[in-house]
Amino acid sequence: MRLSKRGEYGLRAMITLAEYTQKSGSPAMMQIKEISEHEQISAKFLEQILLTLKNAGLLHSKMGVGGGYYLSKPASEITLGQIFRVLDGPIAPIKCVSQMAYEPCDCPDEATCGLRLVMSDVRNAIADILDNTSLADVTKRQSAIRKKLHLN
């Protein structure tokens, strides 16, 4: 399990869309160019990432003048875990603890393997955080920190 640049950029783009939606009070539509400039991400690379997220049902798009991408559902209903899995695959650090892409390992006794037991705990802890953190949670946290920093 590793957060790739593709995963990182996708998460950042989705957080940006959620943030703009929060500010406007309705689903915010943004063009690739706007997101790209805001997050300093290559527009061509971002286009591929957003298309993947759209095909997974996490984004919608509108073509033409005034078009762009927007969240397919409220930010409170989209978790970081969903986005991560779409872009980077299973969360498990080793395949024998994956719940989505399980593969047996080479160890002599998988049921009592110490490494597998620890990596299962790691997988569960990471999945718990990602699956219980929505885009709305992230934008609220971001806003709170920004307010605090600007008050001091």
Side-chain angles (χ1 to χ4, degrees):
M1 182 239 134
R2 183 175 182 276
L3 182 61
S4 68
K5 280 295 179 190
R6 177 179 164 88
E8 177 190 342
Y9 291 169
L11 285 161
R12 285 173 39 198
M14 293 290 281
I15 291 166
T16 296
L17 284 164
E19 183 179 27
Y20 276 69
T21 296
Q22 178 189 13
K23 287 179 184 176
S24 71
S26 61
M29 191 171 321
M30 293 181 75
Q31 295 179 348
I32 291 173
K33 182 180 176 187
E34 292 175 284
I35 301 168
S36 169
E37 288 173 359
H38 186 270
E39 290 298 324
Q40 299 177 346
I41 300 170
S42 157
K44 282 191 175 244
F45 190 32
L46 183 59
E47 185 174 10
Q48 295 169 5
I49 294 166
L50 296 182
L51 185 58
T52 300
L53 291 167
K54 178 185 173 192
N55 290 339
L58 297 175
L59 289 175
H60 289 308
S61 66
K62 180 182 173 196
M63 300 291 283
V65 178
Y69 283 92
Y70 59 99
L71 300 177
S72 64
K73 47 190 163 186
S76 60
E77 295 177 22
I78 300 174
T79 68
L80 300 185
Q82 291 171 302
I83 300 163
F84 183 98
R85 287 181 183 93
V86 166
L87 297 173
D88 280 345
I91 291 173
I94 56 177
K95 293 180 181 186
C96 63
V97 298
S98 177
Q99 293 184 352
M100 294 177 60
Y102 170 83
E103 287 182 23
C105 55
D106 297 334
C107 65
D109 184 9
E110 191 177 278
T112 63
C113 174
L115 177 62
R116 182 176 187 275
L117 295 170
V118 171
M119 288 299 120
S120 180
D121 292 343
V122 169
R123 182 236 168 263
N124 292 341
I126 292 170
D128 184 53
I129 293 168
L130 294 177
D131 291 338
N132 290 297
T133 304
S134 70
L135 290 173
D137 296 329
V138 175
T139 59
K140 286 175 195 167
R141 189 174 181 184
Q142 236 175 216
S143 291
I145 291 172
R146 287 178 180 154
K147 283 180 185 176
K148 184 178 179 183
L149 291 175
H150 286 99
L151 291 177
N152 294 335

